[in-house]
Amino acid sequence: MTTAAAAVAAAETTVTTDDGAALAVTVLAPLGTPSGTTVVLAHGWAAARRVWGTVADRLIREGHRVVLYDQRGHGASTPGREGFTVPRLGADLGAVLEHVGAPDAIVAGHSGGGFAALSYVTSGPRELSGLLLLGTAAHDQDTPDSEVRMMGSALFTRALRRPALGRKLLGQTMGKGADRRALEVNRQMFAATAPRVRADAFRSSRGMDLREPLATVRIPAVVLAGAADRVVAPALGRAVAEALPEARFEELPDAGHMLPLETPQEVVRAIRELADRRRG
């Protein structure tokens, strides 16, 4: 662990980006014997650090140092001057990695957090030990105007704030057997995200196509997709794995889009696989 990493071994901290965004970061020290691995977790649109709660708890119990942060505009983070673009979010991830002194971390990105991770690794040579991509894509994320307007509407926001209705509206983000508590956590995060941020986030991936530069990224990777994902089609995750030279793809039966909430055990298993490859 570097000196910088030791300074934030277990803390609530803030990373200020070069455009003035204040990113809220949690750093969790390992429980028990340290593995020597740092895992950085990047959430998707209209979520927050808390989406990783179960995953983070299991990882620190396995000896990993875990870093969670709120994407700009989400949770306790501010938007910054440049606003929401996929390259900007990749740069945010880089700022977090630098702040915690872990350029060789394993990075796990879910959905829009996966866009950020893919942007980061395609913007220059990187030292990451591993890359876990969950319910994400490298292309074909051109959110239609009607959906962007809905994300930013006051009516949709009011509906999300009603627990039963909000869970129903977001039900398609998870598989049919999803736990009610997971549905409620998802609703709370979605409702807590500012409408403007939701709209900007869903608009940000229009025109994105990172498949060609991914061919040069030689980082061990695992790509997981829920077989019942109706937000990002599993075929798009498969395309990410096919573009990455050292990736494998796995489709999880019955799971939907919110893999950190629906299948935390599978997320941890994949990180364990990458950590073992790092040590090997």
Side-chain angles (χ1 to χ4, degrees):
M1 185 183 296
T2 66
T3 302
V8 285
E12 295 292 318
T13 184
T14 301
V15 175
T16 302
T17 68
D18 57 10
D19 76 322
L23 305 180
V25 180
T26 299
V27 184
L28 301 174
L31 297 177
T33 304
S35 68
T37 299
T38 295
V39 181
V40 176
L41 305 172
H43 68 77
W45 305 158
R49 286 171 288 178
R50 66 179 295 207
V51 77
W52 300 105
T54 301
V55 170
D57 181 69
R58 295 183 182 186
L59 290 174
I60 61 175
R61 291 177 187 278
E62 293 192 6
H64 304 311
R65 178 172 172 254
V66 175
V67 178
L68 313 93
Y69 71 102
D70 287 335
Q71 300 271 16
R72 60 175 50 214
H74 290 73
S77 294
T78 63
R81 293 185 298 274
E82 288 187 13
F84 238 90
T85 68
V86 171
R88 179 70 259 181
L89 296 167
D92 290 352
L93 171 58
V96 171
L97 289 165
E98 181 179 3
H99 181 78
V100 301
D104 60 346
I106 293 172
V107 169
H110 171 243
S111 193
F115 304 163
L118 292 173
S119 174
Y120 174 74
V121 299
T122 56
S123 61
R126 302 303 181 195
E127 303 174 27
L128 296 183
S129 296
L131 192 58
L132 174 60
L133 301 160
L134 310 167
T136 197
H139 77 296
D140 194 23
Q141 293 299 290
D142 299 326
T143 309
D145 287 339
S146 58
E147 186 174 345
V148 171
R149 286 195 298 269
M150 181 184 73
M151 289 297 161
S153 78
L155 180 62
F156 182 56
T157 299
R158 287 196 295 272
L160 288 173
R161 289 173 179 167
R162 298 175 60 182
L165 179 57
R167 289 193 298 271
K168 183 176 181 180
L169 288 172
L170 297 175
Q172 67 174 353
T173 65
M174 296 195 191
K176 290 183 178 179
D179 186 276
R180 185 179 180 279
R181 290 167 294 183
L183 288 165
E184 176 59 14
V185 169
N186 188 39
R187 182 202 67 80
Q188 290 176 10
M189 293 186 298
F190 224 99
T193 305
R196 174 65 183 272
V197 171
R198 289 197 304 258
D200 288 348
F202 279 82
R203 185 188 294 113
S204 69
S205 57
R206 288 176 173 175
M208 177 184 72
D209 192 342
L210 300 172
R211 288 173 294 177
E212 184 175 343
L214 283 178
T216 66
V217 176
R218 306 203 68 87
I219 296 172
V222 176
V223 183
L224 301 181
D229 191 337
R230 288 177 283 176
V231 179
V232 177
L236 295 175
R238 186 181 296 276
V240 172
E242 290 172 349
L244 284 164
E246 298 183 27
R248 75 169 184 86
F249 174 76
E250 183 177 351
E251 194 169 299
L252 302 178
D254 303 320
H257 182 64
M258 296 300 295
L259 298 182
L261 292 174
E262 295 180 75
T263 61
Q265 70 282 359
E266 300 298 339
V267 176
V268 172
R269 176 176 60 82
I271 292 172
R272 187 183 302 130
E273 173 188 332
L274 292 168
D276 289 344
R277 289 175 68 176
R278 176 180 185 269
R279 288 192 289 266

